[in-house]
Amino acid sequence: MNENMIKQLLLAVKTGEMDIEQAVCQFKNLPFEDLGYAKIDHHRQLRKGFPEVIYGEGKTSEHIVNIMKKLKERSCSNVLATRINKEVYEVIKEQLPEAKYYQDARILMIEQGEKKARGCIVILSAGTSDLPVAEEAAITAEAMGNNVVRIYDTGVAGIHRLLAQRERLNQAKVIIVVAGMEGALASVVGGLVDKPIIAVPTSVGYGTSFNGLSALLTMLNSCASGVSVVNIDNGFGAAYSASLINALGEE
Amino acid sequence: MNENMIKQLLLAVKTGEMDIEQAVCQFKNLPFEDLGYAKIDHHRQLRKGFPEVIYGEGKTSEHIVNIMKKLKERSCSNVLATRINKEVYEVIKEQLPEAKYYQDARILMIEQGEKKARGCIVILSAGTSDLPVAEEAAITAEAMGNNVVRIYDTGVAGIHRLLAQRERLNQAKVIIVVAGMEGALASVVGGLVDKPIIAVPTSVGYGTSFNGLSALLTMLNSCASGVSVVNIDNGFGAAYSASLINALGEE
Amino acid sequence: MNENMIKQLLLAVKTGEMDIEQAVCQFKNLPFEDLGYAKIDHHRQLRKGFPEVIYGEGKTSEHIVNIMKKLKERSCSNVLATRINKEVYEVIKEQLPEAKYYQDARILMIEQGEKKARGCIVILSAGTSDLPVAEEAAITAEAMGNNVVRIYDTGVAGIHRLLAQRERLNQAKVIIVVAGMEGALASVVGGLVDKPIIAVPTSVGYGTSFNGLSALLTMLNSCASGVSVVNIDNGFGAAYSASLINALGEE
Amino acid sequence: MNENMIKQLLLAVKTGEMDIEQAVCQFKNLPFEDLGYAKIDHHRQLRKGFPEVIYGEGKTSEHIVNIMKKLKERSCSNVLATRINKEVYEVIKEQLPEAKYYQDARILMIEQGEKKARGCIVILSAGTSDLPVAEEAAITAEAMGNNVVRIYDTGVAGIHRLLAQRERLNQAKVIIVVAGMEGALASVVGGLVDKPIIAVPTSVGYGTSFNGLSALLTMLNSCASGVSVVNIDNGFGAAYSASLINALGEE
Amino acid sequence: MNENMIKQLLLAVKTGEMDIEQAVCQFKNLPFEDLGYAKIDHHRQLRKGFPEVIYGEGKTSEHIVNIMKKLKERSCSNVLATRINKEVYEVIKEQLPEAKYYQDARILMIEQGEKKARGCIVILSAGTSDLPVAEEAAITAEAMGNNVVRIYDTGVAGIHRLLAQRERLNQAKVIIVVAGMEGALASVVGGLVDKPIIAVPTSVGYGTSFNGLSALLTMLNSCASGVSVVNIDNGFGAAYSASLINALGEE
Amino acid sequence: MNENMIKQLLLAVKTGEMDIEQAVCQFKNLPFEDLGYAKIDHHRQLRKGFPEVIYGEGKTSEHIVNIMKKLKERSCSNVLATRINKEVYEVIKEQLPEAKYYQDARILMIEQGEKKARGCIVILSAGTSDLPVAEEAAITAEAMGNNVVRIYDTGVAGIHRLLAQRERLNQAKVIIVVAGMEGALASVVGGLVDKPIIAVPTSVGYGTSFNGLSALLTMLNSCASGVSVVNIDNGFGAAYSASLINALGEE
Amino acid sequence: MNENMIKQLLLAVKTGEMDIEQAVCQFKNLPFEDLGYAKIDHHRQLRKGFPEVIYGEGKTSEHIVNIMKKLKERSCSNVLATRINKEVYEVIKEQLPEAKYYQDARILMIEQGEKKARGCIVILSAGTSDLPVAEEAAITAEAMGNNVVRIYDTGVAGIHRLLAQRERLNQAKVIIVVAGMEGALASVVGGLVDKPIIAVPTSVGYGTSFNGLSALLTMLNSCASGVSVVNIDNGFGAAYSASLINALGEE
Amino acid sequence: MNENMIKQLLLAVKTGEMDIEQAVCQFKNLPFEDLGYAKIDHHRQLRKGFPEVIYGEGKTSEHIVNIMKKLKERSCSNVLATRINKEVYEVIKEQLPEAKYYQDARILMIEQGEKKARGCIVILSAGTSDLPVAEEAAITAEAMGNNVVRIYDTGVAGIHRLLAQRERLNQAKVIIVVAGMEGALASVVGGLVDKPIIAVPTSVGYGTSFNGLSALLTMLNSCASGVSVVNIDNGFGAAYSASLINALGEE
């Protein structure tokens, strides 16, 4: 409901095209669709530049299917559902044959609309166990129209593996660093480049990793500047932020 | 030490301009200056696009003065020291008459070099008590060459104050949200705009605010996408990230 | 055992109707029933206005059946058992054919006594995953004789969905806000209305949601006034408090 | 900005009394006053039934004085500032001679408007060290037009002291329980009465009281129903909630 | 290895009954038996008054059987193994037909030696879900030769149930209080009696009970004196301490 | 208010010596004295065997003086106030010349009544920094009529210092172990003796001692049986429990 | 890439054997092998003295097999994979018939290269449940060429079992102490010997052991000097550190 | 009290040089000196290779002086007291004119005995604010007879500063890494060298550094092997461990 829409409504009232009760109603009826168990936010694409994304965890497969279908109808962009386990996908797949499942990333996607390919987002991961989170970020970023470069298994225990990638790092617009255990990778990368870094702590580790808390604290306390952080295992959120940032460079 | 420098060195070796021992040494002598108690990273401007910034907490005033002087000599940008309390400033000010002190922000700055004015960073704060952190962000962002718009005291308890600012929010390239207590402002702003948001939890609050932990968790768990987070009270870090992002839009 | 009862006992002693030993005994025999593994508090209806409610978690199905039967006999109100999983219900249902099972809410209820319909309690939930807790609150509130209005999936990431409900919010006597993740909904609602709000954090989320801790802290630190909080996932407790409050308005 | 106001604005547009640009502006200009460092929410009295209350901690005495004066001018109710230490009051008192200082409660108040005296809120405290928080609640509740009954130093270590107060407890509309250390008082009172209870954990204690965390957890886990909880030491918030509840009984 | 034993050894050396090498060896050979995976501490009965008790969790059934057999041979008291789940018992029972299994308490016991019946230990539990921990305490205390009185399901939400038990409480030598959720029972009992109380927090509860942490903190912060605390769910440890205390009264 | 008192009251009612209103009143008037800011629990000596002890922290010196005077009048035992800092004592001492101040223990005591000297409580401390807590325990135990043996500075880093004290340990009825840092002393002593042990973690240490949390956890997880635990730095509570236990041995 | 290698490269450039582009490339090509999902660090043996060890948790069995095969080819030392559960081993074993599985230790090893037998590392464990972690340390240490002495089940609850081992302790070069629950063993051993101690907290315990946190804090706060600590359950890491230390004594 | 001493005692008993009572006494009299408030462990030098070191925090200056004097008399090595603030030193210095004060390290030392100079311990610190902890380690290590190389201010934000030091790192026998904030330095160094590393987290930082907890967790979760960790700010303990390790290389 932007200023233009307000102006047009007011104009319609002034000209008598619309009576006052109708206008009052219009001010209240914003574009969301109420399924009872969910209110789909069709307005989001206007407001945020990308349609609502379904967070699959804790939703029934029936709900997931219905919401994806509704979003597909009303949106002209890719429709995404994250945190879709293989078991859930097996149940869903016949009802949504047009959707593609990315198993590592646990993402289900219906591709539609024109493809964009904005400048490069580099996704670095520290260890092979961080792969699912890194892939959640990668698939999300691609779905949102970004070129993605994956550089995996480059933890600081063998820092030459990272230093060997400096050139590719310097070509990035934004860098997503995915790391569990002690999460030191974000600081080291932050010391090497002049690009914004989104750090994603993962729950990889044991004992005092406390399911990602250790990596999270490391990243929040990074002695290198230019690092901001998202929730543990939130590959999706990192890609979303990175995509908004990357879009700035394209305007 | 980029690829060009390596090539030139190797060329000099090949042509005999430089002997091998000298070249070995060159590979090792990167541009930092060792004061004993500190190694000033003059190379950082090349690497990160902005010179090293002095974190004043826990440093003696003598160290602060010396490092600022060295940075001033070797850098062509503004020289910044953060977390400088008024007491420390009183001691320092005669030795650094060219430095300007921003009391709210607790920042000491020597201005030099050309002024830039990149597109707008909006800094929102939730309450008046969050002002010092918001100002740390604002002064830092300005020092790094960004236009800054301050919108303070717009917490969600009176959400119309926030909604009244929507137009100014939409003009931002990046938004910094500074909030203590429950920190809900980041989520609400994240639901309204399509710009990257850097959220800064502050230690404002009491009891279960746990010195900013409550706001931090809120921001990390934001149900709105596009929000990434820095350390509690880290106005400087938020501005640094925002400035890197803002620079992308200008390239 | 109120003052009247004391007076009558003393009167009986004075007139010789009751001898002293009997009276001593009476002072001790308060109305609870000892099943060995449980002491059913039949006195509670007098004291609290609603009979004891069975917390099903950690009780054997045999115990649940027996306690519900005893409560049904001695009480003239609805008999409730909460946290009854589907598996437990399957075992119980033949022995308690008169009980109705609410699967979303995980509540088992024997309806009896007159139906009341006190003024309205609004139950707001932030996301579809919060539905089980919201329903636990809704069914409990209805069982205790309150009209309930459910407004689900109105999280702050799409704040227009919430603002669209303002009129219905204003008709509430009490509002229960159910939210997981960052739990910001309670603060925003608290800024909009002048009714008491009971906030229920849920364990919905991942990573730093820490099973509801993040939402709990948010709600305890709410910058909006008029918000009080119950335990994580405690839909029952929120409804109980709301019902006591709602009853005040009816006296 | 309620429905009536919207209608009148639209009517004015229709009749031409107001042009469209003005109307757009009106929709945006909600009644708050911008002091730069603070945006006073004069609209709050309409929305919440009581004007904005100043949280004094972290504000300069100059800011406190100015905001109180503005609120006094524009409001017709008592003006309150909480968390005003004695030192701050000494600085302020000459500029606000009409304000009364409640030292135990650390509250500064300008009384104005008609006095209300709604039905009784009982405030129970567990120990003498909980007195400042109990008084913050008491003065706030009185300022908001409630009758208050104080019952202090009735901790569960001498439970007969509490049982002796049952009659007074039963006359309450709402009960505020203020307790530090292990905070068990809320559960015991919750087992005795059928009135809503707002529990306030205090930071009284040492060692594993963890500055009120122990009492907070106790209150959130209360085995007695009807207890909801506010932040540690938040006497103000408890009174605010209790006052909203108490007002229901008077409607 | 007490002073008498040292004297006798030295005497034997002096008289030549024992040569020096043998004596050196004797000083080193204290009575424990090395099974490789375990060193059974047969000396413990002398030192602690009761033989080593087997903590079953994390041990293979084979180890449990072997250690119980060895202890049975060498000890003249009851042999106990705690934390034996039903599944483990099913595997073990044929190899240890003389052992009795207490399912609620998860204890396996071989009874032998004379039965003692020292003065009474009262075990109070707050709710029916605390029964397993209470029974672990009860069976352990009985196995160690104490009379046990069980008073279960007497939580503070219906405090008359507790007050009705005062006489039985006063007859105790020691009281064990077992409670989960908010654990307030220990404080209330501590205010009523002049006997030492051992409090056992249980992991019963959900959300902010944090698996017993809430009850633990409550008990450690008890405003009533005379309460000491053992680990969460440690019914065995409470009974052990209570038995040592009870034995003092019998000397 | 024991059974005899109830009988006598009822008898008086029966014989007409007392009318019913008076009797109702009597049932309500339990012996506590209301000073407004405090309700002194004179009944406690009957109920708990020792009069109320004043916890000095957070009380004004005026309150402390008044409560001590009241307790002195009405009690026939020693009157104790704990956590009295030297500064507070300096203010108080002229008004209470009969009180003796124990500086290490931060205890103020008025001695009166007959002196008892029950069997021995041993107080072990791990390091010299634990002395204040150990002394709080020692003075409290002596005030309550127990013989006390102090064994200080016997931490496990030099375990021969502890083993050298075995004989004295064996003469104890109860042992109080006071230790900060890692608190391992309780486990080691628990492995050596067959007496009940009350463990007191202290806040001595730095870093991960987390103000006594490390020692507390160690003591709660003690692999030796017979150890129960009180709050961090709670020397008073340990002595109170130990005294109740010691009294059992004397009955 | 050491100094010698740099010199040779430069020499080759000078003499024209290698052209500049090739040399630039050489500086970048450090010896790691990229499998896509993993970058095997073949360079590690040179840098760290032992090849990369595979952390099996969270890796697919296919990845484990491939990486082990690659390491076997390129390395001349034992190839180790840790945290290999029995289920994973059953899947792998046919593809790696040359690998030996150590079930207690959950380690899979391919033995190759010459056997070393450096001076002795003693591994102490507190209880039988700590055995898996102790064995992870023991097998790792043996694989890295150290003599290992195992002393298991010597917790401080029966301290004579430990004192009986003093002679063996004194023959160690390094001591690894593995303990769960309260973890006091490290402090006691630290007080007895003059050798470096690596302490490994284990997740053995329940309740307030918090999955090893209690033991970890104990070990970090050890009042005995010479103790350093690794992550909870990190037997591998302790052995690695111990092996590096042991190697110093052999140089 | 080693085996030889036992043999000689027994021999003396056999030959009649010593009677049995004397021998019993000898077995008990281990060499510690009881000052009442402290038991000085003169035996420690034999047992641990270095005399007892005084932890100054929480001790009176009188105690510190007396214990240092006693240790000086009985020991032939340097006498150390750590955590001596400047204020305490000012009080002490006249009574201990022979002691030298190291202000940065907060250490007071009396030098005596022969000087040793074992192979090199490198102490790395991440930032200038970590200097006090690094110096505590450095002075302690020197006092214990080790050569120390200090490399300060080499944090990972400018990793070339660290890489420039590789040669010096490789000459170390042991490396101590001192770092606050995110503590990533330990992991990076651990990836570069094959020497044992003792990591010391410092309390430098703010917000989520949680007084060193963030750095501690990072170091415990280091993805590089060979890193073990001591308590936050425990420079002394790191040096003690490093010295024991360094001594192995010299045997």
Side-chain angles (χ1 to χ4, degrees), chain A residues 128 152-153 161 167 206 208, chain G residues 28 37-39 59 231 234:
Chain A
T128 51
Y152 289 173
D153 196 25
R161 295 183 296 191
E167 222 158 321
Y206 61 92
T208 55
Chain G
K28 292 232 180 90
Y37 51 85
K39 296 189 174 50
K59 289 204 179 61
N231 196 1
N234 191 5

Side-chain angles (χ1 to χ4, degrees), chain B:
Chain B
M1 181 74 87
N2 58 20
E3 200 171 315
N4 276 341
M5 292 167 72
I6 296 178
K7 280 191 189 162
Q8 283 170 12
L9 270 174
L10 292 172
L11 197 64
V13 169
K14 187 171 188 178
T15 59
E17 283 175 68
M18 188 180 280
D19 68 17
I20 287 177
E21 285 305 318
Q22 276 179 309
V24 169
C25 179
Q26 282 290 320
F27 276 99
K28 292 230 181 90
N29 282 326
L30 288 153
F32 61 78
E33 184 168 4
D34 199 335
L35 304 184
Y37 52 86
K39 296 188 175 50
I40 303 178
D41 184 4
H42 295 303
H43 185 248
R44 191 167 300 186
Q45 188 150 18
L46 301 173
R47 218 169 59 242
K48 296 281 298 179
F50 195 78
E52 193 174 355
V53 171
I54 301 157
Y55 174 68
E57 196 127 346
K59 290 204 179 59
T60 64
S61 48
E62 194 192 338
H63 288 182
I64 294 166
V65 169
N66 288 347
I67 304 176
M68 287 193 86
K69 283 185 173 166
K70 291 284 181 189
L71 282 167
K72 185 190 162 195
E73 280 168 34
R74 299 280 294 264
S75 157
C76 52
S77 300
N78 297 326
V79 176
L80 243 77
T82 63
R83 307 282 165 119
I84 304 292
N85 288 322
K86 189 129 202 278
E87 294 71 35
V88 173
Y89 172 61
E90 294 300 332
V91 175
I92 286 176
K93 67 180 174 189
E94 289 186 16
Q95 295 167 276
L96 287 171
E98 69 274 40
K100 181 166 176 196
Y101 184 58
Y102 297 83
Q103 187 170 331
D104 279 337
R106 294 187 297 156
I107 284 178
L108 190 66
M109 175 160 37
I110 303 171
E111 281 185 76
Q112 59 182 13
E114 48 159 351
K115 294 206 179 179
K116 277 176 288 187
R118 276 193 296 244
C120 149
I121 295 176
V122 165
I123 301 180
L124 270 169
S125 80
T128 51
S129 309
D130 301 316
L131 194 128
V133 179
E135 276 301 300
E136 188 182 278
I139 300 299
T140 301
E142 287 172 347
M144 293 180 78
N146 304 279
N147 283 326
V148 170
V149 173
R150 292 160 171 85
I151 309 179
Y152 290 173
D153 197 24
T154 55
V156 299
I159 205 160
H160 58 291
R161 295 182 296 192
L162 175 63
L163 298 177
Q165 309 287 349
R166 275 178 90 158
E167 222 158 322
R168 291 166 82 196
L169 291 178
N170 282 324
Q171 286 157 9
K173 293 274 185 186
V174 203
I175 298 171
I176 294 173
V177 174
V178 179
M181 300 181 81
E182 97 281 54
L185 186 59
S187 291
V188 175
V189 175
L192 294 175
V193 301
D194 65 342
K195 292 304 183 308
I197 294 168
I198 310 290
V200 193
T202 73
S203 53
V204 168
Y206 61 93
T208 55
S209 89
F210 294 132
N211 301 315
L213 181 62
S214 172
L216 172 72
L217 293 180
T218 301
M219 289 164 171
L220 287 169
N221 286 287
S222 173
C223 57
S225 300
V227 178
S228 62
V229 187
V230 296
N231 196 1
I232 296 166
D233 289 338
N234 190 6
F236 165 74
Y240 200 107
S241 278
S243 182
L244 292 183
I245 294 168
N246 198 20
L248 285 181
E250 306 286 305
E251 277 166 4

Side-chain angles (χ1 to χ4, degrees), chain H residues 36-249:
Chain H
Y37 52 85
K39 294 187 177 52
I40 303 177
D41 185 2
H42 294 303
H43 186 247
R44 190 167 299 186
Q45 187 151 18
L46 300 174
R47 218 168 60 241
K48 296 282 297 180
F50 195 78
E52 193 173 355
V53 170
I54 301 158
Y55 175 67
E57 197 126 346
K59 291 204 179 60
T60 64
S61 48
E62 194 191 339
H63 287 182
I64 293 167
V65 169
N66 288 347
I67 304 176
M68 287 193 85
K69 284 184 173 168
K70 290 284 180 188
L71 282 167
K72 184 189 162 196
E73 279 169 34
R74 297 282 295 265
S75 155
C76 51
S77 301
N78 297 327
V79 176
L80 243 77
T82 63
R83 307 282 164 121
I84 304 292
N85 289 322
K86 188 127 201 278
E87 295 70 36
V88 173
Y89 172 61
E90 293 300 331
V91 174
I92 285 175
K93 68 180 174 188
E94 288 187 17
Q95 294 167 278
L96 287 171
E98 68 274 40
K100 180 167 176 195
Y101 184 59
Y102 296 83
Q103 187 171 331
D104 279 336
R106 293 188 298 155
I107 284 179
L108 190 65
M109 176 160 38
I110 303 171
E111 282 186 74
Q112 58 183 14
E114 48 159 352
K115 295 207 177 177
K116 277 176 287 187
R118 275 192 298 243
C120 150
I121 296 175
V122 165
I123 300 179
L124 271 170
S125 81
T128 51
S129 309
D130 300 316
L131 193 129
V133 178
E135 277 300 300
E136 186 183 281
I139 300 299
T140 300
E142 288 173 346
M144 292 179 80
N146 304 280
N147 284 326
V148 170
V149 172
R150 290 161 172 84
I151 307 178
Y152 290 172
D153 196 25
T154 54
V156 298
I159 206 161
H160 59 292
R161 295 183 296 192
L162 176 64
L163 298 176
Q165 309 287 348
R166 273 177 92 157
E167 221 159 323
R168 289 166 84 195
L169 290 178
N170 283 324
Q171 286 157 7
K173 293 272 183 184
V174 203
I175 298 171
I176 294 173
V177 174
V178 179
M181 300 181 83
E182 97 281 57
L185 186 59
S187 291
V188 175
V189 175
L192 295 176
V193 300
D194 65 342
K195 292 304 182 310
I197 294 168
I198 310 290
V200 193
T202 73
S203 52
V204 168
Y206 61 94
T208 55
S209 90
F210 295 132
N211 302 314
L213 181 62
S214 172
L216 173 72
L217 293 180
T218 302
M219 289 165 171
L220 286 169
N221 286 287
S222 173
C223 57
S225 301
V227 178
S228 61
V229 187
V230 297
N231 196 2
I232 296 164
D233 290 338
N234 190 7
F236 166 73
Y240 200 107
S241 279
S243 182
L244 292 183
I245 293 169
N246 198 21
L248 285 181

Side-chain angles (χ1 to χ4, degrees), chain F residues 11 33 56 58 68 70 90 105 110 129 146 153 171 189 193 196 232 241 250:
Chain F
L11 196 64
E33 185 168 3
M68 287 194 86
K70 290 284 181 188
E90 294 300 330
I110 304 172
S129 309
N146 304 281
D153 196 26
Q171 285 157 8
V189 175
V193 301
I232 296 165
S241 278
E250 306 286 304

Side-chain angles (χ1 to χ4, degrees), chain D residues 87-208:
Chain D
E87 294 69 37
V88 174
Y89 171 61
E90 293 299 332
V91 175
I92 287 176
K93 69 180 174 188
E94 287 186 18
Q95 294 167 277
L96 286 171
E98 68 276 38
K100 181 168 175 194
Y101 184 59
Y102 297 83
Q103 186 171 332
D104 280 335
R106 293 187 297 155
I107 284 178
L108 190 66
M109 175 160 38
I110 303 173
E111 280 185 77
Q112 59 183 13
E114 49 159 353
K115 296 208 177 176
K116 277 176 286 186
R118 277 194 297 245
C120 150
I121 296 175
V122 164
I123 301 179
L124 270 169
S125 80
T128 50
S129 308
D130 300 317
L131 195 128
V133 179
E135 276 300 300
E136 186 182 281
I139 301 299
T140 300
E142 287 173 347
M144 292 179 79
N146 304 280
N147 284 325
V148 170
V149 172
R150 290 160 172 87
I151 308 178
Y152 290 173
D153 196 25
T154 55
V156 298
I159 206 162
H160 59 291
R161 294 183 296 191
L162 176 64
L163 298 178
Q165 309 286 350
R166 275 178 90 155
E167 223 159 322
R168 292 166 82 195
L169 291 178
N170 282 324
Q171 285 157 7
K173 292 272 183 186
V174 203
I175 298 171
I176 294 173
V177 173
V178 179
M181 300 179 82
E182 98 280 56
L185 186 60
S187 291
V188 175
V189 174
L192 294 175
V193 301
D194 65 342
K195 293 304 183 307
I197 294 168
I198 311 291
V200 193
T202 73
S203 53
V204 169
Y206 61 94
T208 55

